[in-house]
C-alpha cells in the first residue's frame, strides 16, 4: 500500500485532511497538523499560556529580598512612576523618583507599556502602585496582577505577531507541510528561554536596528527611483521616532537626559558572568583595569559595528526575506557578544530570532536552545527556578524531536561549508555536552573554593561562549551563501 503524503500548508483552514497512516507510523502531530493552521495555533497557544501560568507560580527575581528586591520590583516600580508622575519626570531624578532605586532605563515605548499596565494595577489594586509607599509591595493580589500583565502582553502582542509571521513565512516557502507549520508554532510559543525569563525570573525585553536598516536600504536601492524610496523610508523613520519620543523632544536637555538613562556606562562594560566576549576574555585581559570607561565604550562600539557589518553588507547588496531573518539573528548576536553592559538575559534577543529560523537550521537551533538556557542556569538557580528549568527543557526536547523526519531532510540540504563538517566536530560537540552535564551536577552539589567563589559560573560562561562563537560564524557564513545562490540563480535565468 503506498504511503500517504503529508498535508501541505495552503493557508486554508477548511482544507480536507489527508488520510492517516496506521499503526506505529501515525505522526504524533497528526491531529494538530490536519486541523488547519488556525486550529493548530489556538491549541498550541492555550497550552503555551497554561505552561506560562504554571511557571508563574514559582518564585521570581528578588522575591522577599529587601531593600531593592529584584527585576520583579523594577517592573512594578516603573508602573508606579509612570502612573503617578508627569511623562517628562519619568527619567528625571527627583524627590518622587529616586533613580538609584530601579530608575527607568528602557526607551519610551517600554515606559508607555509600563504606564498601560500600571493603569490596570491601579484599577484593581491601587496600593501596589501608590507613589513611594508601594516599594517592595508583594501582596498576593499585587503579584497575581503583575503576572497577568506579562501573560496579557504575550496573548495580545507576541502571540498574534507569531501567528502572522508563521502565515507569511510558510505561504512564501515552497513545500511546507502542516506538520512543519505546527512544529514551527510550537518552537516559537513554547520557547523555554523566553518563558523562564518573562514568567519566572520576570523581565520584559536596538539589537535589531542594523538588520532593519540594511534590509530596508537594500530594498530601496532596487526601486525604480532609489533616491525617492530612501527619502520616503527616512521620513517614515523620523515620523515614528518623533511620535514615540515627543515628550522629550522639547529641549535638548530632556532628550539627553533620557539617552543617558538608556546607556548605563557607569555600571561598567559587563556585570556578573555573561557568556559574551568582554566577560569571558576578562579572565585573561582585565579590561576594567587596563582601560577607562570612555575607551571601553569606543572599543565596544567598534567591535559591535564590525561584527554587524558582514550581515548588513549582505542585505544591502542582496536583500531577501530569508536573508533578513538571518540578519536579525546575526545583528542581535553581534550586540550580545560585543556591546556595552550586556546581561545574561540578553541572549533572548538572538535566541528569539533563531526561533524564526528553526525550520532552516533545526540542529543548530536545538544546540543554541540548550546553551542559551545553560548560560542562564546560575541566574535561574538563584531565583529558585530549577524545576521549571528542567521541566521546560524536557518539554522542548520532546516537541523538538517529534518532527525528526524534517530534521533529517534539512541535513541533506545543509551548506557544503559549515563548522559542523569540520573533522572532529561531532566529538567536540559531544564533549561540550558531557562537560555541561558535569557542570550542572557540580554547580548544584559542590561548593566552590573560597578563593574562587564564582569558579563554576566562569566555567559555564566559557563553555557557552565557545559555542556562541561557532554558531555566530556559521550563521554569518550561511547568510552570505544566500547571495551566491541568488546570483547563480540569476545567471541560470539569463542563460535560459
Amino acid at each position: 500500500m503506498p504511503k500517504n503524503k503529508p498535508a501541505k500548508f495552503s493557508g486554508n483552514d477548511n482544507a480536507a485532511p489527508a488520510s492517516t497512516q496506521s499503526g506505529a507510523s501515525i505522526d504524533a502531530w497528526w491531529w494538530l497538523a490536519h486541523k488547519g493552521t488556525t486550529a493548530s495555533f489556538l491549541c498550541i497557544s492555550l497550552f503555551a499560556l497554561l505552561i506560562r501560568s504554571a511557571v508563574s507560580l514559582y518564585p521570581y527575581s528578588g522575591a522577599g529580598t529587601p531593600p531593592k528586591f529584584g527585576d520583579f520590583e523594577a517592573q512594578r516600580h516603573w508602573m508606579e512612576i509612570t502612573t503617578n508622575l508627569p511623562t517628562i519626570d519619568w527619567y528625571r531624578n527627583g524627590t518622587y523618583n529616586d533613580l538609584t532605586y530601579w530608575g527607568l532605563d528602557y526607551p519610551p515605548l517600554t515606559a508607555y507599556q509600563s504606564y498601560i499596565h500600571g493603569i490596570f494595577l491601579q484599577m484593581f489594586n491601587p496600593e501596589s502602585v501608590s507613589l513611594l509607599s508601594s516599594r517592595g509591595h508583594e501582596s498576593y493580589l499585587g503579584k497575581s496582577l503583575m503576572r497577568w500583565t506579562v501573560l496579557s502582553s504575550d496573548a495580545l502582542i507576541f502571540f498574534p505577531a507569531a501567528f502572522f509571521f508563521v502565515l507569511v513565512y510558510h505561504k512564501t516557502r515552497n513545500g511546507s507541510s502542516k506538520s512543519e507549520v505546527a512544529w514551527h508554532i510550537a518552537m516559537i510559543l513554547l520557547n523555554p528561554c523566553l518563558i523562564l525569563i518573562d514568567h519566572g525570573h520576570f523581565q520584559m525585553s536596538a539589537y535589531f536596528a542594523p538588520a532593519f536598516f540594511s534590509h530596508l536600504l537594500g530594498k530601496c536601492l532596487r526601486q525604480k527611483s532609489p533616491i525617492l524610496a530612501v527619502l520616503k523610508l527616512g521620513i517614515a523613520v523620523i515620523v515614528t521616532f518623533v511620535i514615540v519620543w515627543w515628550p522629550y523632544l522639547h529641549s535638548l536637555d530632556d532628550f539627553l537626559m533620557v539617552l543617558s538613562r538608556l546607556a548605563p556606562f557607569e555600571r561598567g562594560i559587563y556585570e556578573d558572568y555573561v557568556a559574551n566576549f568582554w566577560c569571558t576574555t576578562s579572565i585573561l585581559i582585565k579590561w576594567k583595569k587596563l582601560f577607562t570607561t570612555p575607551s571601553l565604550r569606543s572599543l565596544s562600539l567598534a567591535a559591535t559595528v564590525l561584527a554587524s557589518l558582514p550581515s548588513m553588507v549582505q542585505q544591502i547588496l542582496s536583500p531577501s526575506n530569508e536573508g533578513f531573518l538571518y540578519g536579525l539573528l546575526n545583528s542581535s548576536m553581534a550586540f550580545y557578544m560585543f556591546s556595552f553592559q550586556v546581561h545574561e538575559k540578553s541572549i533572548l534577543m538572538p535566541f528569539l530570532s533563531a526561533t524564526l529560523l528553526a525550520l532552516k537550521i533545526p540542529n543548530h537551533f536545538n544546540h543554541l536552545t540548550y546553551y542559551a538556557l545553560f548560560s542562564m542556569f546560575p541566574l535561574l538557580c538563584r531565583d529558585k527556578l530549577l524545576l521549571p528549568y528542567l521541566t521546560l527543557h524536557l518539554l522542548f526536547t520532546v516537541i523538538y524531536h517529534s518532527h525528526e523526519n524534517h530534521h533529517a531532510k534539512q541535513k541533506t540540504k545543509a551548506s557544503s561549508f559549515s563548522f559542523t563538517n569540520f573533522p572532529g566536530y561531532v566529538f567536540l560537540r559531544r564533549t561540550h555536552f558531557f562537560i555541561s552535564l558535569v557542570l550542572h551536577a557540580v554547580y548544584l552539589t559542590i561548593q566552590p573554593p573560597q578563593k574562587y567563589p564564582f569558579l563554576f559560573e566562569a566555567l559555564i560562561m566559557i563553555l557557552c561562549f565557545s559555542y556562541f562563537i561557532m554558531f555566530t560564524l556559521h550563521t554569518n557564513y550561511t547568510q552570505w551563501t544566500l547571495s551566491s545562490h541568488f546570483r547563480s540563480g540569476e545567471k541560470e535565468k539569463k542563460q535560459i
Side-chain angles (χ1 to χ4, degrees):
M1 181 181 293
K3 291 185 178 180
N4 295 313
K5 294 181 180 179
K8 297 297 181 182
F9 173 80
S10 64
N12 180 9
D13 292 336
N14 297 318
S19 59
T20 63
Q21 299 178 17
S22 60
S25 63
I26 293 177
D27 188 351
W29 286 89
W30 184 89
W31 189 87
L32 283 176
H34 293 80
K35 287 295 181 180
T37 306
T38 302
S40 298
F41 182 82
L42 289 175
C43 291
I44 296 172
S45 295
L46 289 174
F47 183 63
L49 287 174
L50 178 64
I51 293 296
R52 284 162 165 77
S53 300
V55 171
S56 69
L57 298 176
Y58 283 81
Y60 51 82
S61 171
T65 55
K68 295 192 68 175
F69 300 90
D71 286 327
F72 185 96
E73 169 64 6
Q75 301 290 335
R76 189 216 57 79
H77 180 63
W78 295 349
M79 298 177 198
E80 170 198 341
I81 293 300
T82 54
T83 53
N84 288 286
L85 296 180
T87 309
I88 195 65
D89 291 332
W90 289 355
Y91 294 90
R92 178 179 292 148
N93 194 46
T95 305
Y96 300 106
N97 187 16
D98 181 5
L99 294 182
T100 63
Y101 185 82
W102 299 119
L104 188 58
D105 55 3
Y106 277 68
L109 201 59
T110 301
Y112 301 150
Q113 185 184 25
S114 294
Y115 173 75
I116 294 172
H117 290 163
I119 293 297
F120 173 74
L121 262 68
Q122 268 189 337
M123 292 172 59
F124 297 98
N125 188 220
E127 296 83 6
S128 64
V129 288
S130 61
L131 191 61
L132 298 180
S133 63
S134 63
R135 286 191 177 184
H137 184 89
E138 291 186 307
S139 70
Y140 178 80
L141 178 58
K143 289 186 288 187
S144 298
L145 291 172
M146 285 284 289
R147 296 294 196 183
W148 274 105
T149 62
V150 189
L151 284 170
S152 63
S153 295
D154 275 0
L156 297 176
I157 300 174
F158 179 57
F159 283 23
F163 181 58
F164 180 74
F165 167 78
V166 167
L167 285 179
V168 173
Y169 179 81
H170 288 279
K171 275 197 173 184
T172 58
R173 185 173 182 265
N174 294 327
S176 286
S177 68
K178 289 186 177 181
S179 180
E180 288 176 335
V181 175
W183 183 86
H184 202 179
I185 293 171
M187 288 296 98
I188 296 174
L189 299 189
L190 293 170
N191 182 317
C193 293
L194 285 178
I195 294 174
L196 283 169
I197 294 300
D198 284 350
H199 301 271
H201 176 84
F202 204 97
Q203 179 76 34
M204 303 173 192
S205 295
Y207 276 34
F208 303 122
F212 276 96
F213 169 78
S214 56
H215 178 74
L216 294 175
L217 178 60
K219 288 283 189 181
C220 288
L221 295 177
R222 276 151 185 78
Q223 301 296 315
K224 291 182 179 180
S225 303
I227 296 178
L228 180 60
V230 172
L231 182 61
K232 289 180 180 178
L233 176 62
I235 292 173
V237 172
I238 292 172
V239 169
T240 303
F241 177 82
V242 169
I243 292 173
V244 174
W245 284 74
W246 179 250
Y248 310 102
L249 297 179
H250 299 291
S251 76
L252 181 61
D253 288 342
D254 290 338
F255 179 69
L256 294 177
M257 171 189 67
V258 178
L259 284 184
S260 67
R261 292 297 304 157
L262 305 184
F265 294 119
E266 70 281 356
R267 297 182 189 174
I269 196 165
Y270 59 82
E271 288 180 330
D272 293 329
Y273 284 82
V274 185
N276 76 343
F277 174 80
W278 304 109
C279 195
T280 306
T281 57
S282 68
I283 295 175
L284 299 176
I285 305 172
K286 304 304 178 184
W287 298 104
K288 293 182 179 180
K289 293 182 179 180
L290 294 174
F291 299 92
T292 62
T293 297
S295 299
L296 287 174
R297 186 170 55 193
S298 300
L299 281 172
S300 175
L301 176 62
T304 306
V305 170
L306 288 173
S308 304
L309 205 56
S311 176
M312 293 178 65
V313 170
Q314 188 277 330
Q315 276 301 280
I316 293 174
L317 296 178
S318 182
S320 66
N321 292 339
E322 187 177 337
F324 173 61
L325 296 180
Y326 275 102
L328 292 173
L329 173 56
N330 291 323
S331 168
S332 54
M333 202 56 153
F335 271 78
Y336 174 79
M337 297 295 278
F338 297 105
S339 62
F340 201 97
Q341 186 46 225
V342 171
H343 296 271
E344 304 102 312
K345 298 160 289 193
S346 300
I347 191 61
L348 294 181
M349 306 303 277
F351 183 69
L352 181 59
S353 305
T355 61
L356 306 182
L357 286 163
L359 277 168
K360 298 296 296 184
I361 51 172
N363 296 307
H364 296 298
F365 173 67
N366 183 30
H367 302 154
L368 179 64
T369 301
Y370 179 82
Y371 287 104
L373 270 173
F374 189 39
S375 70
M376 297 185 291
F377 181 64
L379 172 69
L380 296 171
C381 283
R382 289 198 296 269
D383 291 337
K384 301 178 181 178
L385 293 170
L386 176 61
L387 183 58
Y389 171 91
L390 296 173
T391 305
L392 283 174
H393 205 158
L394 177 62
L395 175 64
F396 170 83
T397 302
V398 170
I399 296 174
Y400 173 84
H401 289 288
S402 67
H403 203 44
E404 285 288 6
N405 289 339
H406 173 74
H407 306 334
K409 192 190 305 180
Q410 285 300 115
K411 285 183 180 179
T412 64
K413 297 180 180 179
S415 168
S416 59
F417 173 84
S418 169
F419 66 77
T420 59
N421 295 332
F422 289 167
Y425 169 75
V426 174
F427 173 77
L428 177 63
R429 178 168 59 81
R430 289 175 178 172
T431 303
H432 259 66
F433 180 69
F434 175 75
I435 294 173
S436 70
L437 292 179
V438 172
L439 284 174
H440 273 98
V442 167
Y443 187 87
L444 293 173
T445 59
I446 300 177
Q447 288 293 325
Q450 290 186 353
K451 188 177 180 181
Y452 304 105
F454 300 106
L455 173 64
F456 301 147
E457 284 88 345
L459 293 175
I460 291 172
M461 172 188 69
I462 294 169
L463 191 71
C464 294
F465 172 74
S466 63
Y467 174 77
F468 293 155
I469 282 289
M470 291 189 292
F471 178 81
T472 302
L473 292 173
H474 172 75
T475 53
N476 271 274
Y477 176 82
T478 302
Q479 183 180 344
W480 269 94
T481 62
L482 299 177
S483 298
S484 61
H485 294 163
F486 172 81
R487 289 168 184 166
S488 63
E490 288 296 308
K491 288 179 181 179
E492 289 175 4
K493 288 179 183 179
K494 290 179 181 179
Q495 290 174 358
I496 293 173

